[in-house]
Amino acid sequence: MKPYHIYTYPDPILKKISEPVQRIDAEFRTFIKDLDEIMHQQPGGIGIAAPQVGVLKCVIIIDVSRKIQGKAQLVMINPVITAESDFRIFREGCMSIPDFTANVRRANTIKVEWFDLDMKVNRIETDGLEAVCIQHEVDHLNGILFLDRVSSLKIDVFRRKK
Ligand code: ZN
């Protein structure tokens, strides 16, 4: 595995827009394996976006299977959220902002489509933790962090206990 590391706020790479993936080749598949490994190295890691390891490509991995029965890991290439509804406040963390959590307004229910590793189009409607996680990771592809989404840095951001 290449020596990837998680870029953390305020590294400017986290503000950049990722490029759509055009081609799935052996190198890309190896990258996905590495990304998956990095995500699972983080305690409680349920999602990761390529730009968090400095690769500006539109791919995210979501895995809430350890928290919700019946869910499988999703490798989402060029994901697009096509519908959002039922907005609520959720408490979020981020590997790129390790010292803080925050209250963020998110859709509880979304529709999303993406390409899988066979370049087939997938579409689902999902809700709760998985929906929030997808919105958070898609934000990373657009250079958006949860700090950009909180109403008040004073009221809605919390320092993690060490
Ligand atoms: Zn994040």
Side-chain angles (χ1 to χ4, degrees):
M1 188 159 103
K2 284 188 200 168
Y4 290 109
H5 72 278
I6 302 278
Y7 285 77
T8 54
Y9 178 82
D11 194 294
I13 200 157
L14 295 170
K15 304 301 293 176
K16 297 226 162 88
I17 310 271
S18 291
E19 297 276 337
V21 176
Q22 309 280 11
R23 207 159 58 94
I24 293 165
D25 52 17
E27 193 187 345
F28 184 78
R29 285 171 192 276
T30 304
F31 171 65
I32 294 295
K33 280 208 187 85
D34 292 348
L35 196 60
D36 177 49
E37 203 175 313
I38 296 159
M39 180 180 84
H40 284 108
Q41 279 167 5
Q42 314 294 319
I46 56 172
I48 193 167
Q52 290 183 277
V53 297
V55 175
L56 292 170
K57 286 186 179 165
C58 286
V59 59
I60 63 177
I61 301 177
I62 306 291
D63 190 355
V64 296
S65 64
R66 275 184 273 181
K67 309 222 176 207
I68 303 172
Q69 253 194 342
K71 293 287 185 186
Q73 172 166 290
L74 300 171
V75 175
M76 304 177 119
I77 297 162
N78 302 343
V80 178
I81 294 167
T82 56
E84 300 182 313
S85 60
D86 187 14
F87 283 81
R88 302 180 191 183
I89 302 293
F90 292 91
R91 183 67 72 90
E92 285 183 24
C94 178
M95 292 186 278
S96 295
I97 311 173
D99 297 336
F100 295 93
T101 63
N103 287 333
V104 185
R105 190 170 174 270
R106 299 282 188 191
N108 185 56
T109 305
I110 62 165
K111 287 180 184 167
V112 58
E113 54 185 60
W114 72 97
F115 291 96
D116 61 23
L117 281 165
D118 300 317
M119 262 319 204
K120 278 207 314 236
V121 180
N122 291 252
R123 290 185 186 88
I124 56 166
E125 181 173 313
T126 185
D127 59 12
L129 183 66
E130 189 173 59
V132 169
C133 187
I134 291 168
Q135 291 166 82
H136 177 111
E137 301 308 337
V138 168
D139 269 356
H140 276 299
L141 304 180
N142 294 309
I144 298 167
L145 298 174
F146 71 53
L147 294 173
D148 302 313
R149 292 218 179 258
V150 296
S151 315
S152 159
L153 287 174
K154 232 177 183 166
I155 296 168
D156 295 321
V157 179
F158 308 90
R159 185 172 281 281
R160 278 191 202 268
K161 293 194 184 85
K162 286 278 150 81

